């Protein structure tokens, strides 16, 4: 019997030489066709990726380490398959660079070629003062206890169910609402209970979902939580899940302003943080949460 158990059933060859061909693009249209909504409205936003296992060699052959942030516009025709990105980043571990700028330039060139749009790359040193600014807390209220008073058991669903947004179990006027007679109510809330499955490996993906929305319709926290929980067995990429939520909330609440973002926990040294907005003026700054 293998000492590695089930983890030893398959092996992966990690390249030790610079291998841009390791990057594997996946068309965004695959996920967006399932959503079946206005494609152009899903192209407003950014996917922020954080890589925590960045390393390369300086001209003296000494390993250099850093964190990296990749900003991929939602308008890109493709996303990068996350494991292929890990393999690519590993492929430069033993490549010599004369400066950090050379590393940034090369990665930006390769990622941009993969997703067919300009990708911004930032390297962050481990003693960089910016590290203190990366860890934040979501704005608004947490709705994770919104079902505490409900007698009903939350059922597991195979697919996300937007009909749960209009469930019959009503609650009092939510405390995350601020009334504006002309525009409606402004809501800011989040949940740490977002879960879905990777469609490639079927491994679970955990994340924190945050929503800021202005709508003339009332948001029921309990129904919103039921809807978020309906993603628990859904097979979808991080980006597709956020876009599905953005589309469902847009269809149901007809908001005048909407921002949906998620901070997913890392796998393979990489976390993915998609954000979609109804207008670019609503785009927040990139950040990380404590669980990342």
């Amino acid at each position: 019997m293998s000492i590695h158990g089930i983890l030893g059933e398959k092996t992966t060859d990690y390249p030790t030489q610079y291998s841009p061909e390791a990057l594997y693009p996946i068309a965004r249209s695959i996920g967006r066709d399932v959503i079946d909504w206005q494609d152009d409205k899903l192209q407003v936003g950014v996917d922020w990726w954080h890589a925590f296992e960045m390393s390369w060699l300086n001209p003296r052959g000494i390993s250099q380490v850093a964190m990296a942030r990749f900003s991929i516009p939602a308008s890109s025709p493709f996303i990068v398959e996350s494991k292929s990105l890990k393999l690519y980043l590993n492929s430069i571990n033993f490549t010599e660079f004369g400066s950090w700028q050379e590393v940034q330039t090369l990665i930006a060139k390769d990622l941009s070629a993969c997703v067919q749009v300009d990708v911004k790359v930032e390297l962050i040193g481990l003693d960089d003062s910016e590290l203190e600014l990366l860890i934040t807390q979501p704005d608004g209220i947490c709705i994770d206890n919104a079902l505490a008073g409900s007698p009903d058991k939350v059922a597991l669903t195979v697919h996300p169910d937007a009909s749960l947004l209009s469930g019959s179990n009503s609650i009092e006027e939510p405390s995350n609402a601020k009334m504006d007679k002309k525009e409606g109510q402004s809501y800011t809330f989040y949940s740490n209970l977002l879960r879905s499955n990777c469609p490639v490996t079927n491994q679970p993906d955990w994340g924190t979902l945050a929503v800021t929305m202005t709508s003339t319709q009332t948001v029921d926290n309990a129904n919103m939580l039921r809807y978020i929980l309906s993603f628990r067995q859904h097979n979808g990429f991080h980006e597709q899940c956020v876009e599905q939520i953005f589309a469902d909330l847009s269809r149901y609440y007809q908001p005048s302003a909407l921002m949906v973002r998620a901070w997913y926990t890392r796998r393979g040294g990489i976390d993915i943080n998609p954000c979609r907005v109804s207008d670019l003026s609503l785009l927040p700054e990139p950040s990380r949460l404590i669980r990342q």
Side-chain angles (χ1 to χ4, degrees), residues 262-276:
W263 296 266
Y264 278 91
T265 58
R266 74 183 78 163
R267 282 202 286 113
I270 297 172
D271 66 46
I272 306 174
N273 309 271
C275 180
R276 299 294 179 269

Side-chain angles (χ1 to χ4, degrees), residues 205-262:
D205 293 316
W206 287 94
T208 293
L209 177 76
V211 176
T212 298
M213 175 169 60
T214 301
S215 174
T216 57
Q217 299 190 50
T218 299
V219 174
D220 184 308
N221 290 351
N223 292 335
M224 182 65 69
L225 182 57
R226 289 188 181 92
Y227 166 69
I228 294 171
L229 293 174
S230 74
F231 279 80
R232 288 181 290 185
Q233 297 190 98
H234 174 61
N235 281 0
F237 292 109
H238 303 69
E239 300 89 344
Q240 187 268 340
C241 291
V242 168
E243 291 183 352
Q244 180 72 65
I245 294 169
F246 187 90
D248 288 342
L249 298 189
S250 296
R251 282 185 281 217
Y252 184 77
Y253 292 103
Q254 298 293 307
S256 57
L258 177 63
M259 186 280 296
V260 177
R261 72 185 301 185

